[in-house]
Amino acid sequence: GVLTLDDIKAILNTAHEIAPVYVAATVILFLIADLFIAVPTLSVTILGGYFLGFPYGFLAGATGLLSAGTLGYAITYFYGPGLLRRIYKDAAKQAEMAAIFTRYGGIVLVICRAMPILPEISCCLAGATRMPFWKFFSAFLLGTIPYALIATYAGSRSSLDDPKPAIIAAMGLSVLLAVAWIVLLRHYKAEQQG
């Protein structure tokens, strides 16, 4: 509730009126801030493509997403699970996530954009469980780069008169990643029962 989508649009619009470099910096900062406060990352990434165009929007979006994940990994790597408990209060869900992550950490990092909070929790779990950085970053990169490519490209092809590319990308990414997450959870639960 700290930042609404209208607030984000207004801030990005103001930055766009000043200079594109401010839009890029703002996109990166919003995406990093998502580690600490709820920020609609898909919308910010799409808006980055809208305001900056494809190549620069992609660079800003990918930089922000990868920076946030790496920062979450680093903080919990050094400060451990205690910090993770402060980020996500539901102990039962946290235990389930830790169990899933221990078994499927790499896959979770690839598909973690399926739900809000999951990317932050996944990156923090990677740090808290001391996953090797190269393994963490490789898996997170594998999931983040296509996400940023699709979102920023769709944003660059959208306009106020024709928001269809952004809407299709948002729906497509959300559905694809949610289905992947559901399949992973079903596989995990079947494994637990069998």
Side-chain angles (χ1 to χ4, degrees):
V2 176
L3 285 171
T4 67
L5 188 54
D6 289 335
D7 295 335
I8 291 168
K9 285 180 191 174
I11 292 167
L12 286 172
N13 200 26
T14 301
H16 185 258
E17 290 172 5
I18 299 169
V21 71
Y22 291 115
V23 175
T26 304
V27 166
I28 292 167
L29 289 174
F30 277 145
L31 294 172
I32 292 171
D34 187 45
L35 187 58
F36 306 103
I37 60 171
V39 174
T41 56
L42 181 56
S43 298
V44 170
T45 309
I46 288 172
L47 286 168
Y50 173 76
F51 283 109
L52 294 170
F54 176 64
Y56 298 115
F58 166 71
L59 288 174
T63 299
L65 294 168
L66 292 170
S67 296
T70 303
L71 181 61
Y73 172 90
I75 290 170
T76 53
Y77 186 90
F78 292 109
Y79 295 104
L83 184 60
L84 184 60
R85 283 190 290 275
R86 288 184 186 158
I87 296 170
Y88 197 64
K89 307 263 188 238
D90 187 339
K93 279 289 189 194
Q94 192 179 60
E96 181 183 26
M97 281 297 303
I100 292 170
F101 192 81
T102 300
R103 176 81 172 101
Y104 304 106
I107 295 169
V108 169
L109 287 164
V110 171
I111 63 171
C112 67
R113 300 253 166 233
M115 293 182 289
I117 301 176
L118 189 56
E120 296 79 22
I121 295 294
S122 300
C123 293
C124 290
L125 279 168
T129 60
R130 301 288 200 266
M131 176 184 267
F133 181 77
W134 67 268
K135 185 176 180 182
F136 155 74
F137 196 74
S138 299
F140 191 58
L141 187 72
L142 189 61
T144 299
I145 294 300
Y147 178 90
L149 277 168
I150 293 167
T152 55
Y153 183 76
S156 73
R157 293 290 175 225
S158 298
S159 67
L160 294 177
D161 297 328
D162 183 21
K164 194 183 326 178
I167 292 168
I168 291 170
M171 289 173 48
L173 282 169
S174 298
V175 168
L176 176 69
L177 292 170
V179 167
W181 183 249
I182 290 167
V183 168
L184 179 67
L185 285 178
R186 284 189 180 167
H187 184 268
Y188 172 74
K189 288 180 181 180
E191 214 174 52
Q192 295 302 307
Q193 293 171 354

